[in-house]
Amino acid sequence: MERIYFDNAATTALAPEVFEAMKPYFMEKFGNPSSIHSYGREVRLAIENARKSVASIISARPSDIIFTSGGTESTNTALHAAVEGLGCKTIITSPIEHHATLHTADYLQNSGKATVRYVRLDNHGSIDLNDLEKLLQESTGRCVVTLMHGNNETGFVTDIEVVGLLCERYNAVFHSDIVQTLAHYPVDVRKLRTHFLSATCHKFHGPKGTGLLYADHNLKMEPFIHGGGQERNMRAGTENIYGIIGFAKALELAVAERERTVAQISQLRNHFANRLRHEFPDITFNTPLEQESLINILSIGFPKTEHSEMLLFNLDIHNICVSGGSACSSGAQTGSHVIQALHPGSDQVTVRFSFSRYNTIEEADRTIEVLKSIL
Ligand SMILES: Cc1ncc(COP(=O)(O)O)c(C=O)c1O
C-alpha cells in the first residue's frame, strides 16, 4: 500500500521544478563563486540573482540576506550576534520555541553572557503582551527578544508585527523564527520591524541544509562562522550553490502558488479535523482552530489508553507517517516540551499531522479508517 506522508512540518519532498533548477549546478556549473574566471563568475551571478529574488519577496535589500545551512544556524548566528556583538544582556523568549532557540539561549546563559527570561503564555501559546512589556521594562541593559511566528508543533501563529512594535519602543533587538510560516504568509521586513529572521527551505519543497538569515545590514554584527569573506564576511565557507539556487526557486514557487496551496491545504485540514471530531469525540485539539494557526498543522491529543499509547508506531506499520511533537521527539512518545509547557501534567498522546500541497482528501480518509481500526 502507498505510504501517506503527513509529516510536512518536519520536512517536505523536494519539488521537481526545484530539482530542475538546481541540477546544472551539480555538474556543468560547478565553479567556486569566489573564483574570478568564467566558471566562478557564472555561479556568482546565479547566487546573487537568488539573493535578489529572495530579498525582493520579503521586501529586504539583497545585502540583508545571508545564506546559511538552515534555520538552526540562522538562529544561532542571530542570538550570538545580539549578545556578543550588539551588547544584549537579556534574552527574552518563550518556553515553546524550537530547540534551536531554547538551547542557544541556554548556552549563552550558561556561559555567563546573558540572562534568559520567559514570557508568559496562555494555553494556546498566545503571548501575554503585558508580561512581555514588564520583562522589557525590568531588564537592565539591552534585550534581545526571540519569539517565533508559527509554532512547529501546534501551528499557533503569533502576531509578530505587534511584538516588533513593542521591541522598538524599548530599543530591543528582535529576532523571529519564521521557519514554519515563510511559505504560507507574506513577509515584509519593513512592517515586521525585526532585526533578524530565520528560515529554511526544506519546509516548502526546497532542499535540506540551506537556510536564510535576514539581518538588517546596518547592524554591526560579528560572524558566527569564521574564515573566508563569503556572505559579506558574515558566514565563511564556500557557498552551498545548489542549495541557494533551490532556496530561491522553492520560495518563488511557494509565493506564486500560495493562494492555491493555502486553499487546498485548508480544505484538507478542515475535512480531516471534522472527521476526527466526529469519529473520536474524546480528542483534544492542540492546534487552536478558532484562532490564527498554520493551515498545514493539526496537533491532536488522544486520551491515553493501551491502544493510543503505541499510536505512532501502529500508524507507521500502516504506512502512515506522522510525528509525536516535533520531528526530534517522534518515534517514542518522549513528551514534547511544547505540549508540556502549554498543558502541564497532561498525559495525552500527541500526534501531529502536517500536510502539504501533495496530500489528498483520500489520504485523509484512509488515515481516519486506519485510526479507527487501531483505536
Ligand atoms: C520552528 C523551527 N525552527 C527551526 C527549525 C530548524 O531548522 P533546520 O532544520 O533548517 O535547522 C525547525 C525545523 O526543523 C523548525 O520547525
Side-chain angles (χ1 to χ4, degrees):
M1 197 178 278
E2 287 264 308
R3 284 188 295 176
I4 294 178
Y5 186 73
F6 276 173
D7 200 13
N8 290 280
T11 196
T12 54
L14 192 72
E17 301 91 322
V18 175
F19 186 46
E20 284 306 316
M22 292 167 69
K23 258 187 190 164
Y25 297 90
F26 284 98
M27 304 283 281
E28 310 114 66
K29 301 186 181 185
F30 61 83
N32 184 325
S34 299
S35 301
I36 56 162
H37 49 63
S38 61
Y39 275 96
R41 289 198 311 272
E42 68 187 0
V43 177
R44 165 64 51 215
L45 183 64
I47 290 184
E48 294 316 317
N49 284 339
R51 193 186 313 280
K52 276 189 208 149
S53 167
V54 170
S56 89
I57 288 172
I58 64 168
S59 302
R61 291 152 296 204
S63 53
D64 297 331
I65 304 295
I66 300 170
F67 288 112
T68 67
S69 68
T72 302
E73 185 192 318
S74 298
T75 294
N76 271 264
T77 307
L79 294 185
H80 276 263
V83 170
E84 288 162 354
L86 303 173
C88 296
K89 300 279 177 240
T90 306
I91 302 172
I92 300 178
T93 187
S94 91
I96 63 168
E97 299 296 306
H98 191 270
H99 280 149
T101 300
L102 293 177
H103 290 175
T104 306
D106 280 350
Y107 171 82
L108 289 164
Q109 174 160 264
N110 293 339
S111 45
K113 293 177 178 160
T115 305
V116 184
R117 312 274 320 260
Y118 299 93
V119 68
R120 207 180 302 136
L121 306 172
D122 73 7
N123 62 3
H124 292 311
S126 179
I127 289 160
D128 179 338
L129 288 170
N130 291 329
D131 191 50
L132 176 58
E133 183 153 19
K134 191 164 139 274
L135 293 177
L136 284 162
Q137 277 165 352
E138 282 172 4
S139 301
T140 42
R142 201 174 187 196
C143 296
V144 50
V145 173
T146 171
L147 292 168
M148 72 202 316
H149 190 203
N151 187 275
N152 52 305
E153 296 199 27
T154 66
F156 183 83
V157 173
T158 292
D159 187 343
I160 52 172
E161 222 174 300
V162 172
V163 175
L165 274 172
L166 203 50
C167 290
E168 197 171 63
R169 206 175 312 149
Y170 289 89
N171 188 33
V173 172
F174 181 29
H175 162 258
S176 187
D177 171 338
I178 59 164
V179 162
Q180 292 289 344
T181 49
L182 179 57
H184 302 300
Y185 284 80
V187 172
D188 182 338
V189 295
R190 295 164 310 182
K191 286 195 197 142
L192 290 180
R193 294 175 164 83
T194 48
H195 299 83
F196 298 108
L197 293 170
S198 299
T200 191
C201 63
H202 70 98
K203 309 288 184 183
F204 48 90
H205 308 291
K208 292 161 199 38
T210 311
L212 168 90
L213 174 64
Y214 159 79
D216 185 325
H217 78 285
N218 291 315
L219 291 174
K220 299 220 172 341
M221 60 183 273
E222 293 291 313
F224 180 60
I225 294 178
H226 300 269
Q230 291 90 351
E231 299 297 298
R232 65 173 176 89
N233 285 317
M234 282 304 136
R235 202 275 182 176
T238 302
E239 295 87 340
N240 171 6
I241 313 161
Y242 11 82
I244 293 172
I245 304 297
F247 192 117
K249 183 69 185 177
L251 187 58
E252 287 158 15
L253 273 177
V255 170
E257 312 228 325
R258 186 181 283 142
E259 248 176 72
R260 199 156 58 89
T261 307
V262 167
Q264 184 203 331
I265 304 178
S266 305
Q267 192 197 12
L268 172 66
R269 186 179 74 159
N270 290 343
H271 173 83
F272 190 56
N274 287 339
R275 288 216 57 198
L276 280 173
R277 209 179 269 122
H278 179 74
E279 301 289 351
F280 310 101
D282 293 347
I283 59 173
T284 50
F285 285 78
N286 301 316
T287 304
L289 293 178
E290 65 293 344
Q291 297 186 40
E292 190 69 28
S293 62
L294 267 164
I295 43 111
N296 60 324
I297 293 184
L298 191 62
S299 171
I300 301 293
F302 289 90
K304 201 171 204 161
T305 66
E306 57 177 312
H307 300 295
S308 68
E309 256 179 329
M310 297 294 284
L311 196 49
L312 289 187
F313 179 73
N314 282 322
L315 283 168
D316 188 30
I317 288 180
H318 286 86
N319 277 332
I320 296 173
C321 306
V322 296
S323 63
S326 68
C328 325
S329 56
S330 63
Q333 284 285 333
T334 49
S336 126
H337 71 281
V338 174
I339 301 300
Q340 278 312 317
L342 298 176
H343 309 286
S346 146
D347 69 345
Q348 66 173 22
V349 174
T350 308
V351 180
R352 180 188 66 182
F353 301 91
S354 54
F355 315 105
S356 82
R357 62 172 185 260
Y358 297 143
N359 291 127
T360 62
I361 298 271
E362 291 69 42
E363 290 178 321
D365 286 337
R366 201 176 106 209
T367 303
I368 296 284
E369 295 315 311
V370 170
L371 281 170
K372 278 162 67 179
S373 75
I374 298 172
L375 295 172

